[in-house]
Amino acid sequence: MLTDRAKKNSDYINDLDIGESCYLLSLITLIRSFRMKLITQDELFHKQKELERQLEKYYQWGEIFDRHTRIQNRCSPILTQAEKQGCPICKKLVRIFDGREKP
């Protein structure tokens, strides 16, 4: 979808997130460079593949962040209870886990 938009020179990015916007605008720039004969078709192909790899990494980091957030939200009530009612070791572990205390 993003590649088709780039080929059509559609630089409307209000419906995209930051990673998709960067990919689209970068690909549009590459396609314009190719059309102006500043880069070869082979260079365009390789640079487009690199942009696709970077976009895939961006999506993977987003998934990792979302997963981490879900885990943190699930653990939060238990950590709060451990800090309030737990033993001194549990309380210290919670503070270390939260980043409020160094190990």
Side-chain angles (χ1 to χ4, degrees):
M1 171 195 78
L2 294 174
T3 302
D4 291 336
R5 284 171 68 167
K7 288 178 183 177
K8 294 175 184 170
N9 205 23
S10 173
D11 59 359
Y12 178 76
I13 59 172
N14 290 346
D15 60 332
L16 303 175
D17 63 29
I18 187 74
E20 294 168 337
S21 299
C22 288
Y23 173 83
L24 178 64
L25 296 175
S26 296
L27 189 54
I28 286 172
T29 302
L30 285 173
I31 291 171
R32 286 179 182 167
S33 297
F34 171 71
R35 289 177 179 162
M36 295 172 59
K37 302 197 186 305
L38 299 174
I39 63 172
T40 65
Q41 186 173 3
D42 191 50
E43 289 173 313
L44 173 62
F45 175 79
H46 290 296
K47 290 179 180 188
Q48 179 181 356
K49 291 301 174 194
E50 179 58 31
L51 284 175
E52 289 171 2
R53 281 190 291 275
Q54 290 176 5
L55 184 62
E56 185 60 34
K57 267 196 242 180
Y58 168 78
Y59 287 142
Q60 290 171 349
W61 279 110
E63 288 176 25
I64 290 168
F65 178 79
D66 290 343
R67 203 171 319 137
H68 175 75
T69 302
R70 285 193 304 274
I71 291 168
Q72 186 70 20
N73 288 340
R74 285 179 51 207
C75 291
S76 182
I78 297 166
L79 292 171
T80 301
Q81 184 179 6
E83 186 170 23
K84 288 180 181 178
Q85 301 170 357
C87 69
I89 293 172
C90 292
K91 292 178 182 184
K92 182 173 178 135
L93 284 172
V94 170
R95 289 191 303 274
I96 291 169
F97 185 77
D98 285 347
R100 293 180 282 148
E101 187 173 315
K102 302 256 186 218

